[in-house]
Amino acid sequence: MVEKKKITAAITGVSSYVPETVLTNHDLEKLVDTSDEWITSRTGIKTRHILKEPGKATSDMATLAVNQLLEKKGIAKEEIDLLICCTVTPDLIFPATANIICDKAGLSNAWGYDLAAACSGFLFGLETASKFIETGKHKKVLLCGFDKMSSIIDYTDRNTCIIFGDGGGVVLLEPNEEGMGIQDAICKVDGSGREFLHQKAGGSLKPPTHETIDAKEHYVFQEGKTVFKFATTNMSQVSADIMERNKLDSNDVDWLIAHQANKRIIDYTAERMGLPKEKVLMNIEKYGNTTNGTLPLLLSDFEKTFKKGDNLIFATFGGGFTWGSIYLKWAYDANKS
Ligand code: UT7
């Protein structure tokens, strides 16, 4: 009897998009009481990209990246089975932004839905999407992580406006029989942390009214210091846990792909994992925190750095609270294609 090979879900392509308009720390100095020195030293951020064009939304950025990826891979639109869009800034409350992307990109055979888990959305999405591949039911799944954070940011609040930016990326997941792709995942939530990072109004708890608008309750609220403490503790712990569970030491890990919220949180996580800074990928200085966009933007920016078989550890922490880690074996050499 021929033994059936185990199917794993591998990332086989990546593409990204950030809008053209750049908002620098010096631009922010003119909007709020802050300084380039404070922002750089406390967060590591220098610039972020902002989607300014009227009438453009999360789906427009994602559609551009999806089209680019299909072209790059030479894949026909009809071949895509499923598209998941991870976002906290959907075009509309409903229908799902995934549906809109499928329509705009002409993915006529795909079904789709949105996944909301704040800054851990893309990581939770990877775990979720991988299951459709592992069962053998789907052959080509697109996972988008995009946010237009500027649509929910108050540019008079220095606690939040210095952090966030717009953009994101998309990955293609396909079956692999060589053992590449997602090896293990740990996903966690603690809803009691919701009070420290949330958007107060606009949902069923507090539908929009003139009062909620006047009180600026449709913007991101964050108690930064508290979130910082939970983020450093939990993101570093979950990354150490996934290494231990898979018997990996720091020499076995090739790259840390961490959510780009604050350079200090990433440095702390890397230190806990025993990783030298050469293995810690960062682009926070260019994009700030793009929420669901940070992980695919890292994969896209550093795609040519990865070699087939490299061990990547993903780590996130976000509102909710949500956090997690994924251990993935990179499946291709972009340099050679
Ligand atoms: O992605 C989802 C998860 N989110 C995160 O992981 C974000 C976690 N939090 C953070 O990254 C940091 O807490 C922030 C970057 C948001 C803030 O940095 P911090 O080092 O925690 O600053 P802080 O809130 O403790 O504020 C320190 C001081 C305060 O002044 P006093 O009270 O010491 O006089 C703030 O008022 O810095 C002041 N401050 C600022 N000064 C200049 C706060 N924001 C600013 C600012 N510019 N933008």
Side-chain angles (χ1 to χ4, degrees):
M1 206 174 83
V2 183
E3 205 182 311
K4 228 178 152 194
K5 282 196 176 154
K6 191 182 168 206
I7 298 172
T8 48
I11 293 178
T12 55
V14 57
S15 182
S16 63
Y17 176 80
V18 289
E20 264 174 42
T21 304
V22 175
L23 187 66
T24 67
N25 290 350
H26 295 296
D27 294 332
L28 287 166
E29 285 173 350
K30 293 173 200 145
L31 299 176
V32 290
D33 181 13
T34 192
S35 66
D36 174 45
E37 198 282 316
W38 192 94
I39 302 171
T40 308
S41 62
R42 305 306 289 170
T43 70
I45 302 167
K46 281 288 195 188
T47 57
R48 60 292 287 142
H49 290 246
I50 303 294
L51 184 59
K52 278 227 138 159
E53 290 80 359
K56 295 287 180 195
T58 298
S59 70
D60 296 294
M61 296 191 285
T63 302
L64 283 165
V66 164
N67 286 338
Q68 205 177 75
L69 179 55
L70 296 185
E71 196 176 315
K72 182 165 131 180
K73 292 284 299 175
I75 290 173
K77 291 168 187 281
E78 304 76 49
E79 291 181 62
I80 302 300
D81 302 307
L82 165 66
L83 182 144
I84 302 171
C85 180
C86 309
T87 189
V88 292
T89 51
D91 288 22
L92 304 164
I93 298 279
F94 74 90
T97 304
N99 298 18
I100 303 172
I101 301 166
C102 288
D103 178 45
K104 287 183 176 171
L107 310 181
S108 52
N109 289 323
W111 67 290
Y113 58 89
D114 288 359
L115 190 155
C119 296
S120 300
F122 188 82
L123 188 139
F124 286 15
L126 267 180
E127 166 69 341
T128 311
S130 69
K131 303 302 161 204
F132 291 97
I133 300 281
E134 287 166 10
T135 58
K137 191 154 188 227
H138 291 325
K139 305 288 181 223
K140 287 185 171 45
V141 175
L142 290 176
L143 180 68
C144 298
F146 270 94
D147 271 300
K148 182 183 170 183
M149 292 306 291
S150 60
S151 64
I152 52 168
I153 291 298
D154 175 4
Y155 286 93
T156 65
D157 175 14
R158 72 175 183 174
N159 291 307
T160 50
C161 74
I162 57 138
I163 301 169
F164 294 98
D166 300 341
V170 54
V171 297
L172 176 67
L173 290 158
E174 292 185 276
N176 186 285
E177 292 190 356
E178 293 179 298
M180 298 294 136
I182 295 171
Q183 309 293 309
D184 194 14
I186 303 176
C187 297
K188 300 265 190 188
V189 299
D190 176 2
S192 68
R194 65 190 179 279
E195 67 180 283
F196 305 111
L197 178 49
H198 60 264
Q199 184 181 319
K200 292 182 190 304
S204 60
L205 178 66
K206 249 190 185 188
T209 62
H210 287 291
E211 287 73 29
T212 62
I213 302 279
D214 290 343
K216 299 185 169 186
E217 290 180 342
H218 297 269
Y219 292 127
V220 171
F221 166 84
Q222 175 169 245
E223 207 179 289
K225 224 188 225 336
T226 311
V227 178
F228 186 90
K229 274 190 210 143
F230 278 95
T232 43
T233 310
N234 289 312
M235 201 161 100
S236 58
Q237 183 63 50
V238 78
S239 309
D241 287 347
I242 208 153
M243 283 173 71
E244 194 184 330
R245 195 155 97 173
N246 291 279
K247 300 187 174 46
L248 300 171
D249 68 29
S250 56
N251 294 315
D252 302 316
V253 176
D254 294 293
W255 309 107
L256 172 63
I257 314 289
H259 173 51
Q260 308 283 294
N262 189 314
K263 184 178 181 299
R264 289 183 291 144
I265 300 173
I266 304 166
D267 287 341
Y268 184 88
T269 301
E271 200 183 307
R272 175 86 198 272
M273 295 166 76
L275 296 183
K277 65 175 189 316
E278 302 77 52
K279 293 185 172 185
V280 183
L281 301 184
M282 281 199 225
N283 54 15
I284 190 170
E285 69 285 355
K286 285 197 284 183
Y287 309 127
N289 180 351
T290 53
T291 305
N292 284 279
T294 62
L295 300 187
L297 269 170
L298 277 174
L299 293 179
S300 178
D301 280 6
F302 292 96
E303 184 189 19
K304 292 207 160 91
T305 313
F306 306 137
K307 290 193 293 300
K308 186 175 174 183
D310 277 359
N311 287 327
L312 276 58
I313 300 288
F314 293 78
T316 57
F317 186 86
F321 290 135
T322 57
W323 68 102
S325 186
I326 280 183
Y327 164 33
L328 173 142
K329 274 192 182 292
W330 193 251
Y332 64 99
D333 295 300
N335 256 338
K336 291 186 187 158
S337 56

